Amino acid sequence: MIKVSIMYPNGPETTFDVDYYKNSHLPMIAQSLGDALISIEFNVGIGGREPGELAPYVAIGHLTFDSVESFQSSFAPHAAKFAADIPNYTNVVGELQISAII
């Protein structure tokens, strides 16, 4: 199994609409990916290493799939639609990482 994590960098000028991401963007992704998507998780950053420090990421979305191929084949047809929705919830570009679940 693999996990695809989309990590949105935090900073003083970062904006992120948690409600929109949770209630509109993620449901759109789940519906579009169908049965290829095993699970979805959403984390909101609340702090960094030191007290009062910003979290390195304002938010992180995690998508679980059986394989890289399953992710790529289900995600690619909808990538443009997903990207077009980004300005509706943030002003930053997310970093994508694919990880093996061991």
Side-chain angles (χ1 to χ4, degrees):
M1 256 203 298
I2 63 142
K3 182 180 286 186
V4 177
S5 301
I6 303 91
M7 303 166 287
Y8 296 92
N10 203 358
E13 304 298 318
T14 299
T15 61
F16 196 94
D17 186 335
V18 170
D19 289 331
Y20 183 90
Y21 190 77
K22 179 178 142 185
N23 298 314
S24 296
H25 189 74
L26 289 179
M28 174 186 61
I29 287 176
Q31 181 180 19
S32 298
L33 298 179
D35 292 340
L37 180 65
I38 295 172
S39 69
I40 194 164
E41 181 181 327
F42 175 41
N43 306 134
V44 176
I46 60 171
R49 186 180 309 244
E50 299 295 325
E53 183 178 70
L54 286 177
Y57 298 100
V58 65
I60 305 173
H62 302 283
L63 310 173
T64 306
F65 297 87
D66 279 328
S67 66
V68 172
E69 296 76 21
S70 176
F71 160 64
Q72 292 172 335
S73 65
S74 64
F75 194 90
H78 307 285
K81 173 175 64 173
F82 298 158
D85 196 42
I86 292 171
N88 291 322
Y89 62 87
T90 190
N91 64 343
V92 297
V93 176
E95 301 171 6
L96 188 141
Q97 175 172 307
I98 300 172
S99 304
I101 299 174
I102 299 175

